[in-house]
Amino acid sequence: MIAADLNRDGRPEIIVGYVEAAGVIYFNDGTGKKYQPVPFGDGQGAIYGMAAADLDGDGWPDVVVARSDAPCFVMFSRPPKK
């Protein structure tokens, strides 16, 4: 589990991945009291590590996911369209 402000609203989202559970990002609704779960990944392999950082230099955090028995992957954040 890691926390990162993926949508840059000033409140962190909770990113969960575990060997025996599907990956889920819990997006904060802005109050800090309610979260909207959004599953991620393709359901293959077991997640055993994650990290968040701005990998492409656009100012938005991206998430790297390490898995066993399946390719590791990066989820690049997309800024909202103006």
Side-chain angles (χ1 to χ4, degrees):
M1 178 177 72
I2 61 174
D5 186 7
L6 299 179
N7 57 9
R8 297 187 350 173
D9 66 355
R11 293 188 168 76
E13 279 62 58
I14 299 169
I15 306 142
V16 178
Y18 185 64
V19 173
E20 297 178 4
V24 179
I25 300 173
Y26 292 93
F27 281 91
N28 189 326
D29 73 350
T31 68
K33 297 178 183 179
K34 294 182 182 179
Y35 290 82
Q36 175 67 39
V38 176
F40 69 86
D42 56 11
Q44 297 179 10
I47 296 172
Y48 64 87
M50 295 182 295
D54 180 11
L55 300 175
D56 55 5
D58 66 357
W60 290 76
D62 307 305
V63 178
V64 178
V65 179
R67 301 188 295 181
S68 62
D69 301 323
C72 301
F73 63 93
V74 177
M75 295 184 292
F76 289 99
S77 295
R78 293 185 185 161
K81 294 181 181 182
K82 294 180 181 182

